[in-house]
Amino acid sequence: MLTAFAQPVDNAQQTFRAVLGAMAEPLLPRALPVLPPALPGLKAATAALLYTLADQDVSAWLPALPDETMSSLRFHTGMRVTDLPEEADFIVIAAGMPLPDLMSLKAGSAEYPDRSATLLIEVDGFGAEQVEGSGPGFAAPRRFGAAGLPKGFWTEWQSNHARFPLGVDAVLITDTHIAGLPRSARIREG
């Protein structure tokens, strides 16, 4: 069994606060306060988010991962794993993977828009300015870029935003940092 957080409760609470902050201030990269050991096939920051957000009440779609990684995630989180991204509450997109069709994922309903999927997308890094974001959580429009995003991501995201208040949310993940991307964020490329 692979190790998770050294202090499971405290570390998960710190990570959860970082995720809340990242979603409240979209596209503003922030360091995660604590990282567990990396799991084979996933970045340490991705493991931190799964240990924090996943439990027995959620389902996740994961890329093909080593058995030891899957066993550890199931043991430490209790999450259910699904074969179809359309059924998942959390969808992990490892570095270099193609993006699933965002329109096919859980988007919530008029009564329960919060019952939607969240994408956890691994990227190579933040920095190069690709887009300008605005909307709730932006004091002013913010320039942002992420190296290694799946092809066509920003175009897909604009279609996702058009369904607001329905749609999916995303967290972009480097080795040590995250950037929140709620469905309410308006994106302009260039």
Side-chain angles (χ1 to χ4, degrees), residues 8-109:
V9 174
D10 291 339
N11 296 163
Q13 289 175 341
Q14 292 169 357
T15 301
F16 188 71
R17 283 192 293 273
V19 172
L20 287 178
M23 295 305 278
E25 295 182 279
L27 303 181
L28 184 62
R30 61 182 65 225
L32 287 179
V34 62
L35 293 169
L39 292 170
L42 295 175
K43 295 178 183 284
T46 305
L49 294 184
L50 288 171
Y51 290 144
T52 300
L53 301 172
D55 61 23
Q56 66 277 1
D57 294 328
V58 302
S59 61
W61 182 86
L62 302 164
L65 294 170
D67 289 342
E68 63 185 335
T69 297
M70 294 301 295
S71 296
S72 290
L73 285 171
R74 282 188 175 117
F75 176 79
H76 292 293
T77 68
M79 70 180 173
R80 295 174 282 117
V81 177
T82 179
D83 293 332
L84 299 172
E86 297 82 13
E87 297 175 352
D89 300 305
F90 291 100
I91 298 153
V92 176
I93 307 298
M97 284 182 60
L99 189 67
D101 176 15
L102 297 186
M103 298 303 131
S104 70
L105 305 177
K106 283 184 177 181
S109 66

